[in-house]
């Protein structure tokens, strides 16, 4: 066992003494040592119940004959970090999480690993570490938040963000605004809709790195605790079998994850995270692969922000196993950490509530995410098609340009944006911000104000809660001298999602003339962001560190 490095032999007497200081018994020294990376904290709603979930994992490890050792890792709440400097740290924390887990596992020579996490960058960072380390490992994801109602309708955190725009537009009163504040995030768990957190949990299960139903079982449910306990049991079995992630995870597994993303209309952030995770397995996922699979995959599940259905509703419809069962022809039958192949898991799918998986009557014939290219995005841009109304799939508008989110949000809330315009927010990319912050506040304000024919284009990214014609991840980004840096107020921008085009109505000569005048923005940063800025790649590469 790997852990023999720290516990076997005369020269490890001091090591054993330190282990005994933790309460390890002589008769436990020969058992598998299991590291448990827990992102529990008391600042993130998706994480406040992870202490209980982790205890269930530890109980499972003990019952199976292993010795669990728990350690903490960082976890940022994107919602709380939204709209201020804190959001610069969100995406960069993904790499920090992967590094923290790698350091703890390698330093202590654990035989196996369980990662217990929730929310946007935490789960991707954990999966990166799992594949980088490639020791027997299983993921336990925290699960979705339950919803309550306001004005007779089920609400989610998206509605709280949009409430500011509704209030500004005079559509709700002070007391109604307070209701959204009080009831849009009423429980523990990842925010209710198919935002980045829940999308990544579902894709973790689809990749085969967590047990069936782990991703959609609500945070507060007893089933979540039972799955966590079974995961603790399973990791000890994995150590005994010496079954590691890269023994069963392959390129077809990642195609499954992308396919699932398209079927359910998941967050655009997966286009950043899946390539970064695959990179740790030595697999390169190109943007074109996402669009290739989107073209031949229907959109069969519509969840918030595309509808009022939540991830808990999907769970009652049978979760990931039922999607695998009903849309079997779109998937590869790959092995999973459970020891079963995907189609074997699918056969046991259970429908407990309304069936919201529309295989026979898909919402669209193509997937929920599209990759656009053109002279405004030569290396690509990403849009969540599933959250756009049909009449905005083709749109031409006048550019209103802002060098940053703060000035754009101020203009939107001050009523400076009109129907028929396209808000361009630049210098928000992986290098330009840096850290590629999410911009839910501007998109939520546009929706809340009731602007129907306004689009948004950025080299930054969006929350999974964003809805409407919002195009992000424009690459090359402004900081790299991409053409988005050359756009001026009054330019005409054309969006054609069916043709996958994003164009600014400027000829090559005009672009060249503007480029000669353009000067690269200077950014001076210290600390972690300073190091991140020097190493981060562009968004079309997954914003990995090079």
């Amino acid at each position: 066992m790997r852990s023999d490095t720290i516990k076997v032999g005369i020269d490890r007497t001091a090591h054993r003494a330190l282990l005994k200081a933790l309460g390890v018994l002589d008769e436990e020294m020969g058992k598998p040592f299991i590291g448990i990376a827990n992102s529990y904290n008391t600042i993130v709603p998706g994480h406040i119940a992870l202490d209980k979930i982790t205890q269930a994992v530890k109980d499972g490890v003990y019952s199976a004959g292993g010795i669990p050792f728990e350690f903490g890792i960082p976890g940022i709440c994107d919602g709380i970090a939204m709209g201020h400097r804190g959001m610069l740290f969100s995406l960069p924390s993904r790499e920090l999480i992967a590094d923290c887990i790698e350091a703890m596992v390698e330093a202590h020579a654990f035989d196996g690993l369980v990662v217990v996490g929730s929310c946007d960058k935490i789960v991707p960072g954990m999966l990166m570490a799992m594949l980088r380390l490639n020791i027997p490992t299983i993921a336990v994801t925290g699960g979705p938040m339950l919803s309550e109602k306001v004005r007779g309708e089920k609400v989610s955190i998206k509605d709280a963000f949009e409430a500011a725009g509704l209030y500004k537009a005079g559509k709700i009163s002070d007391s109604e605004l307070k209701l959204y504040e009080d009831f849009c995030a009423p429980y523990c768990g990842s925010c209710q809709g198919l935002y980045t957190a829940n999308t990544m949990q579902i894709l973790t299960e689809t990749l085969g790195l967590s047990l069936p139903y782990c991703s959609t079982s609500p945070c507060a449910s007893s089933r979540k605790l039972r799955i966590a306990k079974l995961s603790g049991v399973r990791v000890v079995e994995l150590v005994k079998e010496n079954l590691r992630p890269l023994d069963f995870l392959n390129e077809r597994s990642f195609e499954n994850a992308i396919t699932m993303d398209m079927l359910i209309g998941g967050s655009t952030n997966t286009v950043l995270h899946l390539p970064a995770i695959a990179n740790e397995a030595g697999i390169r996922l190109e943007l074109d692969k996402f669009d290739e699979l989107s073209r031949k995959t229907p959109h069969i599940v519509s969840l918030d922000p595309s509808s009022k259905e939540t991830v808990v509703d999907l769970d009652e419809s049978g979760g990931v196993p039922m999607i695998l069962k009903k849309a079997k022809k779109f998937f590869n039958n790959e092995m999973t950490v459970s020891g079963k192949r995907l189609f074997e898991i699918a056969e046991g799918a259970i429908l407990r509530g309304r069936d919201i998986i529309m295989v026979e009557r898909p919402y669209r014939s193509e997937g929920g995410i599209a990759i656009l290219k053109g002279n405004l995005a030569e290396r690509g841009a990403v849009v969540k098609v599933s959250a756009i109304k049909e009449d905005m799939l083709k749109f031409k508008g006048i550019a209103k340009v802002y060098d940053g989110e703060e000035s754009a949000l101020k203009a939107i809330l001050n009523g400076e944006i009109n129907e028929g315009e396209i808000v361009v927010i630049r210098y928000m990319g992986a290098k330009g911000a840096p850290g590629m912050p999410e911009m839910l506040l501007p998109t939520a304000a546009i929706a809340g104000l009731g602007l129907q024919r306004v689009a948004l284009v950025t080299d930054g990214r969006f929350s999974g809660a964003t809805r409407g014609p919002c195009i992000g991840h424009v690459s090359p980004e402004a900081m790299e001298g991409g053409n988005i840096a050359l756009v001026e107020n009054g330019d005409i921008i054309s969006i054609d999602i069916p043709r996958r085009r994003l164009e600014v109505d400027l000829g090559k000569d005009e672009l060249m003339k503007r480029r000669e005048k353009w000067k690269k923005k200077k950014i001076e940063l210290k600390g972690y962001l300073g190091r991140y800025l020097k190493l981060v790649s562009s968004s079309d590469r997954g914003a990995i560190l090079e």
Side-chain angles (χ1 to χ4, degrees):
M1 290 190 292
R2 277 169 49 97
S3 61
D4 286 350
T5 303
I6 62 168
K7 62 189 182 184
V8 174
I10 294 173
D11 58 348
R12 293 295 184 259
T13 299
H15 299 65
R16 289 192 296 275
L18 290 168
L19 290 167
K20 286 182 176 181
L22 305 173
V24 179
L25 304 176
D26 285 326
E27 51 266 42
E28 292 177 329
M29 290 292 181
K31 295 181 178 181
F33 280 13
I34 308 297
I36 302 177
N38 178 11
S39 62
Y40 165 78
N41 59 51
T42 59
I43 187 62
V44 186
H47 295 195
I48 56 173
L50 295 184
D51 56 341
K52 297 178 180 63
I53 292 171
T54 299
Q55 184 57 53
V57 172
K58 291 194 286 188
D59 291 344
V61 170
Y62 273 125
S63 70
I67 308 299
F69 297 90
E70 179 185 351
F71 59 92
I73 62 163
I76 290 173
C77 179
D78 281 18
I80 295 173
M82 196 80 66
H84 59 92
R85 188 173 184 272
M87 183 47 80
L88 299 182
F89 289 86
S90 176
L91 182 60
S93 74
R94 183 186 70 183
E95 271 61 28
L96 188 62
I97 288 162
D99 291 349
C100 285
I101 294 173
E102 177 190 13
M104 289 296 290
V105 169
E106 295 289 28
H108 301 104
F110 293 127
D111 298 302
L113 173 68
V114 183
V115 296
V116 183
S118 194
C119 299
D120 299 42
K121 308 309 153 312
I122 293 85
V123 171
M126 287 178 160
L127 300 189
M128 289 168 67
M130 288 173 69
L131 302 192
R132 183 186 302 174
L133 291 162
N134 197 32
I135 65 172
T137 312
I138 193 167
V140 178
T141 52
M145 181 185 290
L146 300 171
S147 295
E148 289 193 357
K149 293 182 178 180
V150 171
R151 303 166 100 185
E153 285 195 338
K154 189 163 51 179
V155 291
S156 68
I157 194 63
K158 166 184 64 60
D159 298 291
F161 276 100
E162 293 184 3
L166 289 170
Y167 183 79
K168 278 276 189 178
K171 295 178 181 179
I172 59 174
S173 65
D174 288 352
S175 60
E176 287 175 312
L177 182 66
K178 183 69 160 53
L179 283 175
Y180 284 104
E181 182 179 320
D182 289 347
F183 291 98
C184 282
Y187 299 99
C188 67
S190 296
C191 299
Q192 304 95 325
L194 193 61
Y195 317 146
T196 308
N198 284 318
T199 302
M200 283 309 307
Q201 293 185 65
I202 288 170
L203 300 194
T204 299
E205 186 176 333
T206 306
L207 282 167
L209 294 174
S210 62
L211 293 183
Y213 297 105
C214 187
S215 63
T216 57
S217 297
C219 178
S221 70
S222 62
R223 184 168 55 146
K224 175 65 69 181
L225 296 179
R226 296 195 300 273
I227 290 171
K229 192 170 184 178
L230 286 170
S231 299
V233 171
R234 181 58 184 154
V235 74
V236 177
E237 295 172 349
L238 293 173
V239 171
K240 293 175 180 178
E241 297 166 12
N242 194 27
L243 182 64
R244 299 164 297 174
L246 297 187
D247 292 335
F248 61 88
L249 202 73
N250 53 46
E251 192 167 350
R252 294 184 300 278
S253 306
F254 282 97
E255 288 179 359
N256 283 340
I258 296 171
T259 296
M260 179 64 77
D261 201 15
M262 299 305 166
L263 288 166
I264 63 178
S267 167
T268 52
N269 285 313
T270 57
V271 180
L272 282 175
H273 297 321
L274 285 177
I277 296 162
N279 181 66
E280 299 289 350
I283 297 169
R284 180 152 183 175
L285 286 184
E286 303 285 357
L287 282 183
D288 289 343
K289 174 61 71 174
F290 286 82
D291 207 58
E292 172 194 330
L293 292 173
S294 179
R295 289 287 197 181
K296 59 186 181 183
T297 308
H299 175 213
I300 65 171
V301 176
S302 183
L303 302 177
D304 181 14
S306 304
S307 76
K308 284 293 183 180
E309 309 288 4
T310 66
V311 176
V312 173
D313 296 310
L314 176 59
D315 187 60
E316 293 174 358
S317 289
V320 170
M322 188 61 79
I323 295 174
L324 293 170
K325 184 175 184 176
K326 297 184 73 171
K328 184 176 179 179
K329 66 180 180 180
F330 298 105
F331 291 98
N332 304 300
N333 189 22
E334 299 308 303
M335 182 59 74
T336 73
V337 74
S338 69
K340 297 179 180 179
R341 291 189 176 273
L342 286 177
F343 294 171
E344 186 180 355
I345 291 170
E347 286 307 307
I350 300 170
L351 176 67
R352 297 186 293 112
R354 291 179 299 109
D355 186 358
I356 64 170
I357 303 169
M358 302 288 106
V359 175
E360 304 302 326
R361 293 176 288 111
Y363 295 94
R364 285 194 172 96
S365 60
E366 294 185 352
I369 291 176
I371 307 300
L372 311 184
K373 291 188 177 180
N375 70 349
L376 195 50
E378 293 172 302
R379 294 207 303 262
V382 184
V383 62
K384 187 171 182 174
V385 187
S386 59
I388 302 177
K389 293 180 179 178
E390 290 286 341
D391 64 352
M392 287 295 288
L393 294 177
K394 290 185 178 182
F395 182 63
K396 184 177 287 189
I398 301 167
K400 283 281 190 75
V401 184
Y402 302 92
D403 289 348
E405 179 188 15
E406 187 176 347
S407 57
L409 180 62
K410 184 178 179 180
I412 294 165
L413 291 176
N414 285 343
E416 298 172 22
I417 304 301
N418 304 304
E419 300 284 12
E421 293 180 335
I422 295 179
V423 179
V424 177
I425 307 179
R426 61 193 179 193
Y427 294 102
M428 300 299 286
K431 297 175 183 291
M436 208 175 179
E438 288 183 347
M439 286 176 287
L440 179 55
L441 290 178
T443 62
I446 288 170
L449 287 167
L451 295 167
Q452 298 294 316
R453 298 193 63 76
V454 169
L456 195 152
V457 175
T458 181
D459 52 6
R461 61 193 179 90
F462 299 113
S463 163
T466 292
R467 61 189 175 104
C470 300
I471 298 166
H473 305 214
V474 169
S475 184
E477 63 175 278
M479 192 67 175
E480 292 183 311
N483 287 341
I484 191 172
L486 311 179
V487 178
E488 297 177 358
N489 286 324
D491 288 344
I492 303 300
I493 294 174
S494 298
I495 299 166
D496 191 335
I497 293 172
R499 291 184 58 242
R500 304 297 202 258
R501 303 301 295 171
L502 178 63
E503 305 273 358
V504 58
D505 189 13
L506 296 171
K508 291 183 180 179
D509 290 344
E510 178 61 23
L511 285 169
M512 185 66 71
K513 190 186 302 181
R514 294 186 186 185
R515 185 171 300 284
E516 289 172 359
K517 297 178 183 178
W518 177 75
K519 292 183 179 179
K520 187 174 181 178
K521 182 180 176 183
K522 289 185 179 180
I523 302 177
E524 292 188 10
L525 288 167
K526 296 179 180 179
Y528 182 57
L529 284 182
R531 295 194 297 275
Y532 182 85
L533 178 59
K534 292 176 183 177
L535 298 173
V536 69
S537 70
S538 60
S539 61
D540 61 297
R541 293 284 314 282
I544 60 173
L545 300 187
E546 296 182 306

